[in-house]
Amino acid sequence: MSYEFILAEKDGPIGVVTLNRPPQLNALSYGLVKELAQAMESFDQDPEIRVIVLTGGEKVFAAGADIKEMVDATPFDERVRGRFDFRDRINKISKPVIAAVSGYALGGGCEIAMSCDIILASETARFGQPEVNLGIIPGSGGTQRLTRTVGKYRAMELMLTGDQLTAREAERLGLVNKVVPVELLLEEAKNLARKIAAKAPLAVKLAKEAVLKAANTPLDEGLEFERKSFYLLLASEDRKEGMRAFLEKRKPEFRGK
Ligand code: CO8
């Protein structure tokens, strides 16, 4: 499939999606968000792909929702266009998604990064929720995901001032897994993706689901989900292969079954 506002390419078991509206700092127009949902779903359904890397290139991740598109929008326009329906579809991707963030990740851009599973950042990355400068608040998970990640007081300050975090600050606050030089960012993300892609796909899928449950469920319910997933994986061919390979001192060959 060819896209207008993003690039989507395969690199072995990795699906790389690049936001691609550089003159607008990858502002998240409806068209872009729609294509992003389509591309990510297409990789999610592709049996050759095991991990998705989402990036905006070296200069900018995304400077937020497209303000030009929003300036005259009524609540009804927004609802009919269904921006959040596309966002919800992005949140439902079942394969691991690694965000490779360089430059600005602001507003909806920060929110898209936070809805990924792992965030790698270049030294130039800047994270923020500047919506308050526009008279709005984050609309795509920022108030909840940022608060759960960095805690109430830092999230409150960021949300109320619109200030930005540097990559190092974000790393210290647990918002970023690792900071790397800009020229190495995509390769580092792909290396990490390859490492995950070599693991048993069903185990990876259920591990992701179980970790995500931790944010949304009481402990007892999360533990129950974990236990059921554990039993389920005992029935997979890959777990037999994984355990046998360990005992036979060889590399496992996982088939996602
Ligand atoms: N929307 C539309 N155009 C944008 C946006 C944007 N968010 N950000 C930058 N641009 C455009 C500028 O208008 C400019 O275009 P032109 O060259 O035609 O004038 C071009 O990109 C370059 O921008 P600047 O000249 O401003 O570049 P600077 O380097 O001086 O500044 C900044 C970079 C700091 C990133 C600045 O552009 C900025 O503050 N941008 C707006 C950031 C912002 O407020 N983001 C939040 C938007 S609201 C939001 O995201 C709500 C989320 C709702 C959910 C979304 C679900 C997908």
Side-chain angles (χ1 to χ4, degrees):
M1 201 185 284
S2 71
Y3 297 104
E4 191 179 348
F5 306 114
I6 63 167
L7 305 171
E9 56 188 3
K10 291 190 193 183
D11 183 352
I14 310 167
V16 181
V17 181
T18 307
L19 308 177
N20 191 31
R21 293 182 79 207
Q24 294 82 20
L25 308 186
N26 293 338
L28 304 164
S29 60
Y30 296 102
L32 185 150
V33 178
K34 183 177 175 186
E35 289 188 356
L36 181 58
Q38 288 169 338
M40 291 183 72
E41 280 174 348
S42 156
F43 281 145
D44 209 26
Q45 285 153 14
D46 185 337
E48 287 176 5
I49 297 298
R50 295 202 171 168
V51 180
I52 299 168
V53 170
L54 174 60
T55 185
E58 291 194 353
K59 294 219 167 75
V60 61
F61 185 72
D66 190 318
I67 299 169
K68 275 188 197 134
E69 267 185 358
M70 267 195 311
V71 64
D72 292 322
T74 64
F76 186 70
D77 295 334
E78 273 290 321
R79 183 67 202 93
V80 168
R81 283 170 181 159
R83 179 198 303 272
F84 293 119
D85 300 337
F86 295 122
R87 279 297 282 118
D88 292 345
R89 281 165 55 185
I90 293 167
N91 290 342
K92 288 191 182 119
I93 299 301
S94 68
K95 289 176 184 168
V97 185
I98 300 173
V101 178
S102 197
Y104 294 113
L106 302 178
C110 187
E111 291 173 303
I112 283 191
M114 286 193 292
S115 61
C116 296
D117 302 307
I118 291 174
I119 305 180
L120 299 189
S122 83
E123 285 149 349
T124 65
R126 295 288 178 275
F127 297 84
Q129 298 289 165
E131 285 87 343
V132 72
N133 296 327
L134 304 170
I136 55 174
I137 66 169
S140 191
T143 60
Q144 304 305 300
R145 289 204 175 89
L146 190 62
T147 307
R148 283 164 198 232
T149 305
V150 307
K152 171 186 157 186
Y153 302 101
R154 290 310 304 269
M156 194 68 87
E157 185 183 343
L158 289 164
M159 224 76 67
L160 301 188
T161 62
D163 285 351
Q164 296 168 13
L165 291 173
T166 64
R168 293 283 172 204
E169 286 167 333
E171 185 186 35
R172 263 198 304 282
L173 289 169
L175 181 61
V176 157
N177 292 65
K178 190 177 174 188
V179 180
V180 298
V182 65
E183 64 279 9
L184 298 181
L185 178 65
L186 188 57
E187 210 36 56
E188 284 273 344
K190 285 186 177 179
N191 286 342
L192 185 55
R194 273 184 215 106
K195 193 172 181 180
I196 297 169
K199 312 296 175 192
L202 293 176
V204 166
K205 182 179 161 70
L206 286 176
K208 168 169 170 166
E209 244 180 271
V211 172
L212 290 178
K213 280 259 184 262
N216 297 327
T217 50
L219 182 60
D220 283 351
E221 215 178 293
L223 290 173
E224 197 181 318
F225 179 83
E226 181 192 81
R227 185 65 47 87
K228 283 185 177 155
S229 303
F230 182 87
Y231 283 135
L232 197 60
L233 287 167
L234 286 182
S236 70
E237 289 176 20
D238 279 350
R239 80 94 188 183
K240 284 189 194 128
E241 167 64 7
M243 291 185 183
R244 279 190 191 129
F246 173 79
L247 294 174
E248 291 164 13
K249 300 189 189 303
R250 62 176 173 81
K251 261 188 138 184
E253 278 178 38
F254 292 124
R255 297 192 304 139
K257 291 186 175 167

